[in-house]
Amino acid sequence: MNVVSMVVNRLVWFVPTVLGLLAVVFVLARIVPTDPAVLAAGENATAEQVQEARERLALDRPLPEQFVEYLRQVVQGDLGTSFYTQQPIVDDLTERLPATLELTILGVLAAGLIGVPLGVISGLNRNSWLDHLLRLVSVLFIGVAPFWIAMQLQLLFSMQLGWLPLSGRIDDFAPEAMTGFLTIDALVAGDLQNFLSALRHIVLPTLTLALPGAAVIVRFTRTSVVEAVNSPSVAYQTAMGLPRRVIVWKYILRLALNSTVTQLGLVFGISLTGAVVIEAVFEWPGLGTYAVRSILHSDYNAVMGVTLCVGVLFALSNLLVDLLQMAIDPRGAT
Amino acid sequence: MATSRREILKLGLLGLASLAGNSESASAQSRNRFVFANSSAFDSLDPHTVFDQGRAAVRFNLYDGLLRFVDNPPKLIPWLAESYAVSDDGKTYTFKLRADATFHDGTPVTSADVAYSIERILALRKGPASFYLDLIEPGSTQTPDPHTVVFNLTDPSAIFLTTVPNILVVNSALVRSKEKDGDWGAGWLARNEAGTGSYILRRYEPAVGWSGQRFTNHFAGWAGQPIDEIEFRTVQETNTRVLGLMRGDFDGADGLTYEQIQRLRPSPNVQILEAESMRIFLLALNNSKPLMNDVHFRRALAYSFDYDGFIKNIMKDSVTRNPGPNPVTIWGSPPGLKGYSFDLAKAREELAQVKQPLRKISINALAGYSESEQAAVLFQSALRQIGIEADIDVTPWPVVASRFAKAETQADVTPVWRSTFYVDPNNWVGEGFGTRYHGTRTMSYYSNPAFDQLLDQALLTNDHERRRELYEQMSQIVSDDAAGIFIYNTRWFGPYSTRVSGIRFSPASNGNDIRWATMTR
Amino acid sequence: MNPLLEIDDLSLTFRTEKGPAHVLDSIDLTMVPGEVVGLVGESGSGKTSLARAILGVLPGAQAEIASGRVRLDGIDMLDDGKATRDARGRLVTFVPQDPFDSFNPLFGVGTQLADIVRYRAPPATGHRLARSRRAREAMILDMLAAVQLPASRDLLNRYPHQLSGGQRQRLMIAMALLPQPRMLIADEPTAALDVTVQVQILGLLRRIAAERTLAVLFTTHDLGAAWEICDRIIVMYAGQIAEILPRKAFFAAARHPYTRMLLASLPKPGHQAVGIPGESASPLAPPPGCRFNPRCPLASQMCRTVRPLPSRSEEGHLLACHHPLPTAS
Ligand SMILES: Nc1ncnc2c1ncn2[C@@H]1O[C@H](COP(=O)(O)OP(=O)(O)OP(=O)(O)O)[C@@H](O)[C@H]1O
Ligand code: SF4
Ligand SMILES: [Mg+2]
């Protein structure tokens, strides 16, 4: 498959997936016992004002018609207005997206940095005590709820040891945003204090996010390392007396990474959904806290906006992973 | 080779140490800065549309009103206005403004700003607007001179004065310049500030919170060693608020349960302030529904709640029994009002007098508030003993609120709190049970002509003793009719850093009024 | 001439789930420098195991040397010492059966060749910077010419899947030659190739062996191929050496019943190939005595109890059979 047809294929699948997702959220939003027209009309609204809001938002029309209308707006880049913040949802989302992206991307990177070496060690020392321990730990991390991990990390690193901040994204307020990625912004601005502050704040959320992803990567890397170790090419290189370190850290690692990359989409998904859950614990000002707030306030426009945003992110990340895979596997792009 | 590797290692460790070591960094501790962990999010800073307790900090610190509530029991003191006069017919309120007050940008405060502010409240119809929508006609407020403002009420209103602190004054010239498509500057004021308040908005991020810097030129002047910088951070996760207080990250927090307060007590960084407050917890009954409209049925319900058990076992005695519709801490309840006790025999007697067929009743508890949910469960099990089945539905506050908007949608029973919006019995018994508040601030859809007549009188007269009598009578009626089931009055527990002193608590501001406080450096 | 490879009484057992598999049984073999030896036998007869023993890459967890030793230029290849590790891939190199699988699919072939040169080849002589990249590349390009591949960088930049089977196997041979070994083990080097390419590769091996005085141990199923290029042919059956024949005697002088059956099964013009009747002996429960006895028409009571010892019948011809057939007339 070449790049173009792969991208086209992904996009073709993307549309119905997002449509389906939106439809589900749309229906869910309409069966909650809150009247969106009342919410939209605001407090102290008279019955006429509520009715006016109902008509303005087309809430009096049949559900499918409303859905089509919603889609028409989405296509024009309009996700509606949040009942709660009274802001265009697009603005709300763009304000909060960088925080979540920064966290998720770092989380995926950290998952790789933790997971790959451990997976390699585990795979090379198959059935050693270390391997068994790592497998046990990774099963635990995959199974355990992320917010539990988050709270344990907080208790250890913030409360017991006092090394890292408990919550938030930075001491004080963030400097003016360029990319919205605080660590990068501060670095570019040469602002060491803010850089360190942002870095210290992101460590625990990143770790929380990374651990389940790392666990997946450990397991997967282990399998692919075992496979690589037993592969004919490694047998050949061994027979040719190539130093073990070259075989392991160059050839086996590359083989293992190649298949690990296929899991990055999954890990990104884990991290993204993890972010939504743990942002609340760390008071991370991103999409997750926004989603929680929107759900609590029955702000169904906002809930749909977040859903759409996360769906698009997820699809994009999968596309990127596919492209990456093609780029790094010479057999992929012919 | 070996040395250079060691060097790199050293550098790396150093980097790690600098990352981990100085978590108590310069920022929070050395400056005179007060950081509050706020359980609600500051999604908007508009003082005329946001009107809940959770986000009161904006109103009390960035803005000022003509009058201000301080202390406990609450006292109304002159603020932007230095004096006021009420006409004999009780319909005209004339306020004299201080001459020395300025907005944060230096513009002097004039009567035009006050007039603009009330017009803005009326036009936006949100937040405090419900106090004024039926009372003040748009355009009726007069400004005879720059320091005089005259409110012309459509009817006399005894409670108008206690709502005046909510008319927060915005810089009309500034807001006007930001108006867009006749929005009264709503888009701009949601994210910016145009007040006279004790603090000037320094930074605001909806997702994070806001911070303010002391307004040294504030008209009220400054005494002692006030706090120079305040920061209200949204910290939605309760556990994080608790841990942050223990760690000293936060100097104050709200929204903690009694158990969490108890958990904080041993912490050397934390002090717990306590005060009587005015926030009652009740089972709001929808009096308009079939069966619920029978006084005997309601009394049967009122005898079926285990008040003492709830206060003792679930609230751990952190609250006091409040038998009537008004908080025991305010006037307006008859002396010795007994209310109801847990007595299933009496409940059965009352039930025997019910003519309508019995049915299953609905209880709508507040999601995320364990007291509300526990009260619902406790009530449900007691009702089962007298042969009444109940369904419990747990929904978040906005759902409850939107159900309250209509008699048809309000659940039969809703365990809920009633806070202080203004300090007058009318805030509780008047609004909760008067027919005139149906669809707006009612908690009962209770309708009783005798009651309404008393209420009308109480709103018309400014004679305090007369009003006391009237509200006492109203309370008695509500109690006799079991129009609601009143359980307890909240005690306020304010967890603060031990570095903070001088928090001036008032049930109106709930500890959000920071200008009086001091911090050791 | 001093022997290069000496294998004495080598017996090898694999631990398997079904019990020990006696894969090699008392193998004796010597090779001198420059000699090309063919190792012929049915699938499972132990050819690859023997090759791996010589390379010292038996799977440590399963393989157990029951007896014997393998020495290459005096170095014990069953040892795990530095001398052995140095010898592997330098003194003795390897051409695998499947050149496609033996390349790492994710690296350009140039990289893989370069690593062989970098870690296994002696420094190039004549270059000022003998260990430089340039020197390595020059060595590789020279070697490409030697294995009759276009000496181009373009070829080196390709990935394994972008090359033909023949090209890949030539590269494998190039890799085996780059360390300038004294012995080369080619384990069925042409099995994965089609016939015309097979012939070319075999010719190449033969020529290179002669040019470089390279000892080659060449395993194959294909008697014809062995006969084409080998000085000696070893016939193995179920881990035992049945007969060792000099090339010229192969068709004429073979006397072991198994060798004769193999020869008879060779496809003749106008005839289909005929297999040898019966199942190959299982190394899990090898028949006692001569392992071929269950399938041998001449088997006697002695064959079923006493293992026939190899005996030299004439120069270079070794035979392990109690009842050898008379020389074909
Ligand atoms: N790692 C191992 N563990 C257990 N048994 C093995 C192992 N490797 C090989 N064997 C067994 O040893 C015997 C000889 O195998 P070997 O691969 O040496 O034969 P071969 O002559 O090379 O066969 P082929 O012509 O199929 O390559 C076979 O029965 C095989 O199953
Ligand atoms: S020893 Fe006996 S069984 Fe073995 S090949 Fe010779 S005759 Fe056949
Ligand atoms: Mg083989």
Side-chain angles (χ1 to χ4, degrees):
Chain A
M1 201 166 31
N2 67 23
V3 179
V4 177
S5 70
M6 191 277 289
V7 172
V8 168
N9 184 26
R10 281 281 172 197
L11 290 181
V12 163
W13 274 108
F14 172 67
V15 174
T17 312
V18 169
L19 271 183
L21 194 66
L22 279 180
V24 170
V25 182
F26 194 83
V27 170
L28 282 181
R30 297 309 157 107
I31 57 177
V32 298
T34 339
D35 184 350
V38 171
L39 286 175
E43 312 153 50
N44 297 312
T46 59
E48 300 88 74
Q49 283 172 319
V50 172
Q51 186 54 32
E52 188 257 335
R54 195 183 311 283
E55 277 159 27
R56 177 164 44 86
L57 297 172
L59 292 169
D60 50 349
R61 302 250 202 88
L63 217 53
E65 203 181 317
Q66 289 182 40
F67 188 57
V68 169
E69 174 61 21
Y70 177 75
L71 290 181
R72 205 179 55 78
Q73 285 176 7
V74 168
V75 169
Q76 292 166 2
D78 176 9
L79 296 178
T81 303
S82 156
F83 299 144
Y84 186 59
T85 70
Q86 298 292 331
Q87 293 267 326
I89 285 160
V90 174
D91 292 2
D92 280 349
L93 292 179
T94 43
E95 220 166 58
R96 288 161 171 89
L97 183 62
T100 298
L101 271 189
E102 184 179 32
L103 185 57
T104 310
I105 290 171
L106 267 181
V108 172
L109 285 181
L113 285 178
I114 299 169
V116 169
L118 290 182
V120 171
I121 290 168
S122 195
L124 289 178
N125 303 291
R126 193 147 62 114
N127 296 326
S128 65
W129 64 268
L130 188 70
D131 179 35
H132 290 307
L133 182 74
L134 279 171
R135 281 165 77 179
L136 189 75
V137 170
S138 56
V139 168
L140 276 180
F141 276 127
I142 292 172
V144 137
F147 76 82
W148 186 84
I149 300 178
M151 274 160 54
Q152 298 311 308
L153 288 177
Q154 279 182 328
L155 285 180
L156 180 61
F157 288 103
S158 306
M159 300 309 290
Q160 291 283 339
L161 300 170
W163 289 356
L164 294 166
L166 186 66
S167 70
R169 202 177 169 205
I170 193 166
D171 295 311
D172 205 339
F173 280 77
E176 288 308 322
M178 281 182 288
T179 60
F181 289 22
L182 290 188
T183 44
I184 294 176
D185 284 349
L187 211 54
V188 171
D191 183 345
L192 190 68
Q193 191 192 327
N194 269 328
F195 174 70
L196 284 179
S197 174
L199 206 58
R200 288 212 333 267
H201 279 86
I202 207 169
V203 171
L204 291 188
T206 303
L207 210 57
T208 310
L209 218 50
L211 287 177
V216 171
I217 292 185
V218 167
R219 290 169 60 117
F220 209 81
T221 307
R222 178 187 181 276
T223 313
S224 39
V225 163
V226 168
E227 203 172 287
V229 165
N230 294 325
S231 73
S233 74
V234 167
Y236 167 74
Q237 288 176 326
T238 310
M240 285 299 283
L242 271 193
R244 192 68 187 161
R245 63 180 149 76
V246 178
I247 299 181
V248 169
W249 296 111
K250 182 170 181 177
Y251 290 96
I252 292 183
L253 185 65
R254 184 71 174 69
L255 282 171
L257 279 182
N258 206 60
S259 30
T260 300
V261 164
T262 60
Q263 298 304 297
L264 275 187
L266 174 67
V267 173
F268 187 88
I270 293 175
S271 296
L272 197 61
T273 45
V276 171
V277 177
I278 65 145
E279 272 184 10
V281 180
F282 290 105
E283 224 55 58
W284 195 257
L287 293 180
T289 40
Y290 185 69
V292 171
R293 210 178 297 169
S294 308
I295 291 167
L296 274 181
H297 291 92
S298 306
D299 195 346
Y300 80 95
N301 267 346
V303 174
M304 288 177 57
V306 175
T307 310
L308 184 66
C309 187
V310 170
V312 169
L313 278 184
F314 192 65
L316 274 181
S317 75
N318 272 319
L319 185 66
L320 276 179
V321 167
D322 284 349
L323 288 173
L324 182 68
Q325 215 175 314
M326 279 191 162
I328 67 164
D329 189 337
R331 292 164 300 183
T334 32
Chain B
M1 182 70 179
T3 48
S4 77
R5 210 177 264 173
R6 200 171 301 153
E7 288 299 302
I8 293 171
L9 200 72
K10 223 193 257 172
L11 270 177
L13 284 177
L14 232 90
L16 271 181
S18 71
L19 243 180
N22 56 345
S23 131
E24 304 274 301
S25 67
S27 53
Q29 300 302 320
S30 66
R31 272 189 280 155
N32 185 3
R33 170 154 148 236
F34 175 85
V35 181
F36 191 88
N38 209 70
S39 58
S40 309
F42 294 97
D43 293 84
S44 165
L45 297 182
D46 195 323
H48 294 158
T49 60
V50 177
F51 191 63
D52 48 40
Q53 285 284 6
R55 293 178 282 177
V58 170
R59 304 201 306 277
F60 282 94
N61 294 296
L62 303 180
Y63 290 95
D64 289 310
L66 298 171
L67 306 174
R68 192 176 188 87
F69 268 120
V70 289
D71 299 337
N72 192 22
K75 249 192 350 244
L76 210 47
I77 61 171
W79 202 241
L80 272 171
E82 55 187 18
S83 64
Y84 64 88
V86 190
S87 66
D88 289 342
D89 65 357
K91 288 166 76 166
T92 307
Y93 284 73
T94 306
F95 289 86
K96 275 266 176 271
L97 304 188
R98 301 175 63 121
D100 56 352
T102 65
F103 287 103
H104 293 153
D105 65 359
T107 321
V109 179
T110 67
S111 53
D113 297 309
V114 182
Y116 179 80
S117 298
I118 187 68
E119 297 303 338
R120 192 169 182 273
I121 290 172
L122 293 172
L124 295 177
R125 301 184 67 91
K126 288 191 178 144
S130 60
F131 297 133
Y132 313 114
L133 283 170
D134 297 331
L135 210 57
I136 301 176
E137 288 287 323
S140 67
T141 305
Q142 295 164 313
T143 53
D145 70 63
H147 292 112
T148 309
V149 62
V150 182
F151 293 100
N152 295 301
L153 310 189
T154 49
D155 290 304
S157 169
I159 59 161
F160 175 67
L161 210 56
T162 68
T163 70
V164 165
N166 299 317
I167 305 173
L168 297 169
V169 179
V170 299
N171 185 334
S172 60
L174 181 57
V175 177
R176 270 210 182 92
S177 74
K178 306 291 182 187
E179 284 182 359
K180 243 163 81 190
D181 315 322
D183 74 341
W184 292 86
W188 187 78
L189 216 49
R191 316 204 124 210
N192 296 279
E193 168 257 300
T196 57
S198 302
Y199 291 87
I200 307 169
L201 182 67
R202 188 176 70 92
R203 286 297 302 272
Y204 170 55
E205 275 181 53
V208 179
W210 58 274
S211 73
Q213 212 156 12
R214 190 160 64 91
F215 181 36
T216 44
N217 291 332
H218 191 266
F219 61 83
W222 295 93
Q225 285 190 309
I227 293 167
D228 292 321
E229 219 180 304
I230 58 173
E231 184 174 315
F232 282 80
R233 264 178 190 266
T234 305
V235 182
Q236 283 180 299
E237 190 67 28
T238 316
N239 194 47
T240 308
R241 292 199 296 279
V242 172
L243 296 181
L245 277 167
M246 288 180 174
R247 249 185 125 226
D249 289 355
F250 306 135
D251 302 305
D254 67 348
L256 300 185
T257 64
Y258 185 66
E259 263 155 32
Q260 287 155 339
I261 293 286
Q262 295 298 77
R263 219 176 111 202
L264 280 168
R265 280 190 201 274
S267 168
N269 288 331
V270 184
Q271 57 174 329
I272 309 290
L273 305 185
E274 286 190 43
E276 288 291 343
S277 82
M278 296 183 177
R279 183 165 172 259
I280 62 162
F281 181 65
L282 72 155
L283 303 183
L285 305 180
N286 183 344
N287 287 256
S288 72
K289 292 251 180 102
L291 199 58
M292 296 294 293
N293 56 17
D294 183 326
V295 65
H296 296 293
F297 185 70
R298 294 198 302 268
R299 283 187 191 142
L301 296 185
Y303 281 121
S304 303
F305 190 80
D306 185 358
Y307 304 91
D308 295 340
F310 184 74
I311 289 171
K312 187 154 180 287
N313 301 324
I314 293 173
M315 301 309 296
K316 310 281 180 225
D317 280 326
S318 65
V319 293
T320 41
R321 173 89 174 97
N322 198 95
N326 292 321
V328 287
T329 44
I330 199 173
W331 53 276
S333 302
L337 178 72
K338 286 281 280 287
Y340 294 80
S341 55
F342 184 42
D343 188 338
L344 292 179
K346 283 193 182 152
R348 289 195 187 91
E349 275 172 34
E350 293 288 347
L351 206 54
Q353 303 176 53
V354 173
K355 304 263 167 7
Q356 300 176 51
L358 294 184
R359 62 170 172 88
K360 198 178 237 182
I361 63 166
S362 60
I363 305 180
N364 186 0
L366 234 66
Y369 293 85
S370 60
E371 289 106 322
S372 175
E373 292 181 34
Q374 283 171 300
V377 172
L378 188 70
F379 195 42
Q380 181 189 45
S381 66
L383 288 179
R384 195 166 294 139
Q385 295 183 49
I386 59 166
I388 297 171
E389 286 299 314
D391 276 338
I392 298 178
D393 182 17
V394 183
T395 64
W397 168 246
V399 176
V400 175
S402 82
R403 284 179 180 167
F404 267 32
K406 272 191 227 148
E408 303 85 70
T409 51
Q410 184 178 336
D412 295 321
V413 179
T414 311
V416 74
W417 288 265
R418 179 73 160 193
S419 312
T420 314
F421 294 99
Y422 53 90
V423 186
D424 190 280
N426 198 66
N427 182 69
W428 292 273
V429 69
E431 294 188 352
F433 301 90
T435 308
R436 63 162 70 201
Y437 298 108
H438 282 193
T440 57
R441 308 172 71 84
T442 186
M443 309 202 78
S444 62
Y445 288 98
Y446 175 74
S447 202
N448 177 349
F451 179 99
D452 288 338
Q453 211 181 354
L454 297 173
L455 177 60
D456 290 346
Q457 289 178 45
L459 288 173
L460 286 177
T461 176
N462 276 323
D463 176 348
H464 185 74
E465 277 316 308
R466 176 78 188 117
R467 294 191 69 224
R468 174 192 295 281
E469 271 168 39
L470 290 165
Y471 282 109
E472 285 179 1
Q473 288 173 35
M474 284 184 248
S475 297
Q476 191 65 55
I477 292 175
V478 165
S479 183
D480 292 345
D481 266 1
I485 299 176
F486 309 103
I487 302 173
Y488 68 74
N489 184 29
T490 319
R491 264 186 90 70
W492 174 77
F493 294 95
Y496 287 94
S497 146
T498 43
R499 298 164 54 233
V500 179
S501 58
I503 290 290
R504 196 167 177 184
F505 174 80
S506 158
S509 59
N510 257 324
N512 277 304
D513 191 357
I514 308 298
R515 77 174 334 269
W516 320 102
T518 303
M519 264 177 114
T520 53
R521 284 164 212 242
Chain C
M1 220 189 303
N2 275 338
L4 176 66
L5 172 72
E6 296 165 278
I7 300 178
D8 290 329
D9 186 32
L10 178 67
S11 295
L12 170 67
T13 305
F14 280 121
R15 284 181 280 266
T16 71
E17 282 162 13
K18 293 182 202 142
H22 305 281
V23 170
L24 294 179
D25 184 21
S26 191
I27 302 289
D28 287 305
L29 172 65
T30 33
M31 279 175 71
V32 294
E35 193 185 13
V36 178
V37 171
L39 191 56
V40 183
E42 286 174 306
S43 193
S45 57
K47 304 182 293 292
T48 300
S49 302
L50 184 58
R52 293 173 82 178
I54 299 169
L55 287 159
V57 289
L58 289 164
Q62 296 107 306
E64 188 189 319
I65 307 295
S67 72
R69 48 184 197 172
V70 176
R71 278 194 300 179
L72 189 70
D73 205 19
I75 298 164
D76 182 356
M77 295 306 287
L78 300 177
D79 187 56
D80 203 23
K82 181 168 170 7
T84 313
R85 271 182 278 130
D86 285 348
R88 184 183 313 137
R90 193 166 272 161
L91 193 58
V92 54
T93 60
F94 178 58
V95 176
Q97 173 173 349
D98 187 338
F100 181 64
D101 281 347
S102 299
F103 275 113
N104 186 311
L106 304 177
F107 288 86
V109 292
T111 310
Q112 306 190 46
L113 263 77
D115 273 340
I116 294 289
V117 177
R118 180 161 174 203
Y119 296 105
R120 298 282 76 188
T125 45
H127 261 277
R128 206 160 49 81
L129 292 164
R131 288 227 169 258
S132 72
R133 256 187 119 85
R134 291 268 292 288
R136 287 206 290 265
E137 196 177 273
M139 273 179 80
I140 291 171
L141 290 175
D142 284 352
M143 189 54 74
L144 291 186
V147 296
Q148 296 166 345
L149 282 169
S152 73
R153 291 211 178 78
D154 170 59
L155 184 82
L156 295 177
N157 286 336
R158 305 238 195 123
Y159 287 92
H161 70 275
Q162 294 167 321
L163 299 170
S164 73
Q167 286 173 315
R168 284 194 287 257
Q169 196 55 297
R170 281 171 204 272
L171 284 171
M172 279 290 163
I173 292 170
M175 285 207 274
L177 296 176
L178 278 166
Q180 299 175 17
R182 296 186 59 201
M183 177 165 187
L184 187 153
I185 293 173
D187 190 8
E188 305 191 46
T190 58
L193 305 175
D194 57 42
V195 188
T196 42
V197 185
Q198 275 184 17
V199 175
Q200 290 167 7
I201 296 284
L202 289 179
L204 180 68
L205 268 179
R206 172 83 242 179
R207 215 190 60 229
I208 285 170
E211 280 170 11
R212 305 184 176 223
T213 349
L214 187 64
V216 177
L217 181 68
F218 164 66
T219 77
T220 181
H221 287 145
D222 184 349
L223 283 172
W227 186 78
E228 291 284 344
I229 68 160
C230 296
D231 301 319
R232 273 197 298 158
I233 291 161
I234 302 170
V235 179
M236 268 182 91
Y237 180 80
Q240 292 178 337
I241 290 181
E243 194 168 18
I244 302 183
L245 294 141
R247 179 175 187 254
K248 59 180 178 351
F250 191 54
F251 287 104
R255 297 185 62 198
H256 193 283
Y258 175 59
T259 316
R260 287 282 269 277
M261 287 168 88
L262 278 181
L263 286 170
S265 75
L266 277 180
K268 298 183 190 71
H271 292 269
Q272 288 289 314
V274 278
I276 301 172
E279 289 257 313
S280 191
S282 160
L284 285 169
C290 175
R291 288 189 178 179
F292 189 55
N293 77 62
R295 294 163 83 184
C296 181
L298 304 178
S300 65
Q301 190 52 39
M302 179 162 60
C303 301
R304 283 186 274 271
T305 48
V306 184
R307 180 178 170 186
L309 290 175
S311 63
R312 196 171 297 270
S313 65
E314 49 191 277
E315 188 50 45
H317 186 180
L318 229 82
L319 181 63
C321 175
H322 293 303
H323 313 293
L325 292 159
T327 326
S329 44

